[in-house]
Amino acid sequence: MAFTTALTKHVSFSSRFLRDTGYIDGVWTAGDATRTFDVLNPATGEVLASLPDMGAAETRDAITAAHVAQPAWAARPAKERAAILRKWHELMVANADELAAILTAEMGKPFAEARGEILYAAAYVEWYAEEAKRIYGETIPAPSNDKRMMVIKQPVGVVGTITPWNFPAAMIARKVAPALAVGCTVVSKPAEQTPLSALALAVLAEQAGVPAGVFNVIVGEDGPAIGKELCGNDKVRKISFTGSTEVGRILMRQCADQIKKVSLELGGNAPFIVFDDADLDAAVEGALASKYRNAGQTCVCANRLYVQSGVYDAFAARLAAKVAAMPVGDGFEAGVMVGPLIDDKGLAKVESHVEDAVSKGAKVLTGGKRIKGAGTFFSPTVLTGVTSGMQVAREETFGPVAPLFRFDTVEDVIAQANDTEFGLAAYFFAGDLKKVWRVAEALEYGMVGINTGLISSEAAPFGGIKQSGLGREGSRHGADDYLEIKYLCIGNL
Ligand SMILES: NC(=O)C1=CN([C@@H]2O[C@H](COP(=O)(O)OP(=O)(O)OC[C@H]3O[C@@H](n4cnc5c(N)ncnc54)[C@H](OP(=O)(O)O)[C@@H]3O)[C@@H](O)[C@H]2O)C=CC1
Ligand SMILES: O=C(O)CCCC(=O)O
């Protein structure tokens, strides 16, 4: 059976949104896949579903379908594409509870957070339904009277998207919505841990009127094989990826042969700075929101918390008290704030970061251990006495661990915050306006939260600099990633 009772106790077998195959050219199909792979609930370790392990051949078929469908989709008036996206948005909002249950079951995040993610994903679809109608060109005053110069924008064509498990709905929505809005077609490959949410989005896209071939989903556990086909097939004009910097580098190399466009949203190592003049309660709340959201499995999560000497002890004590009180458990239990980590690999990484820090002199104020049992839980942790020689200073922990570094001067903390190859998000809490400007300008990051730990929004350009990636998602800038600029010059006038 494709779905087990471990899933259907949360999402009924008769759910209109559960699918047990991929989706190619408007058809629910396993292609030629002969093997299956299991989708697990990380809170219990139970198998939720078995899906066909699709690979390069099915990806090729989906690319062909997307290639055939693209000209007609691009030729539809923007208003029609917008109306279909708007309908998709409405269906996501109307069915948020059921989509959230699927998401919590396969990913583990608390149900309220999962529901928040569905609405966040839907907001991207709504945003690009609106933007679809505003893909403006421009006219340019020509340097001579016998010419007229202008610019039009056209869709890049077929797009391959590869997305991670930490936001199984939002990461797909914020790539697919702008792509479809401007007239591209898409072949999507969700993470092997969370394919059910992707398939549920495709069900709703189909109901909304997205035509066959315009949005295709390939499910499978051989990411490298699917990725190679997406990067190597010359019908695909662009790859949009969210995930680890390591895989982003592989994809960029694979795209080099055909000079294929890439958007990459990669790892972060976000500094979170608390200055002596900060509102300490707001800084603690900001740290809780930024660090422990999604059990710390977010590329924009605070990874290194730098606290100025004058408030270090007070901040550490207040943060630890709140963190110790956070309920941990199955995301379906009422009141749970921190769910499991995605899998054993994720749990082992968090554990090794904490062990490394402690072995080099850090102190555990609260947490610090995996929680024994069936699921992959790690207790929300605060570490003090953390220094730059520890793993937590250099690598993304991707777990509920707040390492607190002490600093004295603005210059010192900016140097430490920028001392990383990553440049996605940074945060700081301060009162003095002069300092706010100086620090905001000096931080080498694509996004900076000032006196807030939450910066994500469909209205904002999300993306990084340095090895955190290329391109932006969300806002009006997010559409540009799926558009080519064409310059037209009329002569002999
Ligand atoms: N920027 C971010 O938001 C994210 C960062 N990370 C970071 O990466 C670490 C590892 O997480 P992990 O899940 O392994 O992330 P990955 O980067 O390995 O996975 C993300 C996506 O890429 C796919 N993939 C993996 N290898 C290839 C490949 N060679 N070619 C094409 N696609 C590929 C995966 O497919 P499949 O699932 O089939 O392997 C998945 O869909 C985390 O601990 C975290 O630090 C992780 C997720 C998101
Ligand atoms: O972790 C990610 O890859 C996406 C960040 C989620 C968000 O805040 O939009």
Side-chain angles (χ1 to χ4, degrees), residues 280-462:
L280 219 52
D281 287 331
V284 169
E285 288 308 316
L288 290 171
S290 167
K291 178 68 258 185
Y292 299 94
R293 167 184 176 223
N294 207 15
Q297 303 170 108
T298 302
C299 56
V300 290
C301 273
N303 202 53
R304 299 167 286 157
L305 287 83
Y306 293 99
V307 188
Q308 203 158 11
S309 292
V311 292
Y312 187 93
D313 293 333
F315 178 84
R318 284 196 218 179
L319 182 66
K322 294 256 184 181
V323 169
M326 286 178 120
V328 182
D330 188 320
F332 285 107
E333 279 168 27
V336 160
M337 292 172 76
V338 179
L341 297 174
I342 188 67
D343 54 22
D344 287 331
K345 193 176 113 196
L347 183 60
K349 179 172 164 189
V350 174
E351 194 169 41
S352 87
H353 276 199
V354 171
E355 280 169 9
D356 171 77
V358 170
S359 75
K360 291 172 182 159
K363 245 184 78 190
V364 177
L365 275 199
T366 186
K369 287 193 177 55
R370 70 164 68 203
I371 298 172
K372 293 206 171 77
T376 40
F377 294 95
F378 198 87
S379 52
T381 299
V382 177
L383 301 174
T384 53
V386 181
T387 55
S388 61
M390 300 174 184
Q391 256 176 352
V392 284
R394 310 233 64 85
E395 289 173 34
E396 190 171 45
T397 301
F398 239 56
V401 177
L404 306 191
F405 301 72
R406 189 185 288 269
F407 76 92
D408 288 312
T409 67
V410 174
E411 291 69 27
D412 171 33
V413 77
I414 290 195
Q416 289 194 61
N418 288 342
D419 181 22
T420 169
E421 67 270 30
F422 297 107
L424 190 59
Y427 308 84
F428 68 93
F429 281 71
D432 173 48
L433 190 59
K434 235 190 209 170
K435 182 159 59 189
V436 163
W437 270 109
R438 263 174 66 206
V439 174
E441 288 174 358
L443 286 169
E444 296 170 353
Y445 289 83
M447 300 174 280
V448 180
I450 303 163
N451 293 335
T452 177
L454 290 175
I455 53 174
S456 302
S457 161
E458 76 285 0
F462 190 106

Side-chain angles (χ1 to χ4, degrees), residues 5-166:
T5 50
L7 176 63
T8 54
K9 70 181 170 209
H10 301 301
V11 186
S12 140
F13 266 122
S14 59
S15 165
R16 292 164 298 148
F17 309 126
L18 286 181
R19 288 293 182 278
D20 58 3
T21 67
Y23 182 60
I24 301 176
D25 204 12
V27 177
W28 295 95
T29 173
D32 293 330
T34 50
R35 288 178 318 178
T36 59
F37 69 101
D38 290 339
V39 182
L40 306 182
N41 178 347
T44 62
E46 293 169 300
V47 174
L48 300 171
S50 292
L51 298 188
D53 189 11
M54 299 164 87
E58 290 76 24
T59 307
R60 205 170 308 125
D61 290 345
I63 293 169
T64 302
H67 186 245
V68 170
Q70 199 267 327
W73 177 244
R76 300 271 288 257
K79 199 170 172 175
E80 281 183 29
R81 291 197 303 270
I84 291 172
L85 286 176
R86 177 161 286 284
K87 182 75 192 156
W88 192 20
H89 155 78
E90 284 164 7
L91 288 170
M92 287 169 73
V93 172
N95 296 292
D97 283 348
E98 208 164 327
L99 297 175
I102 295 172
L103 204 161
T104 293
E106 66 178 351
M107 194 271 150
K109 70 178 63 173
F111 180 78
E113 239 184 283
R115 199 172 187 285
E117 182 185 335
I118 297 299
L119 298 180
Y120 180 48
Y124 281 99
V125 179
E126 180 185 43
W127 179 271
Y128 286 106
E130 291 157 356
E131 284 297 298
K133 296 179 278 186
R134 300 189 181 99
I135 306 300
Y136 299 130
E138 59 186 279
T139 55
I140 302 169
S144 65
N145 276 340
D146 64 337
K147 287 198 167 131
R148 296 293 180 271
M149 297 162 67
M150 64 208 80
V151 166
I152 61 170
K153 293 188 181 172
Q154 293 182 306
V156 298
V158 176
V159 176
T161 74
I162 302 175
T163 46
W165 44 264
N166 59 345

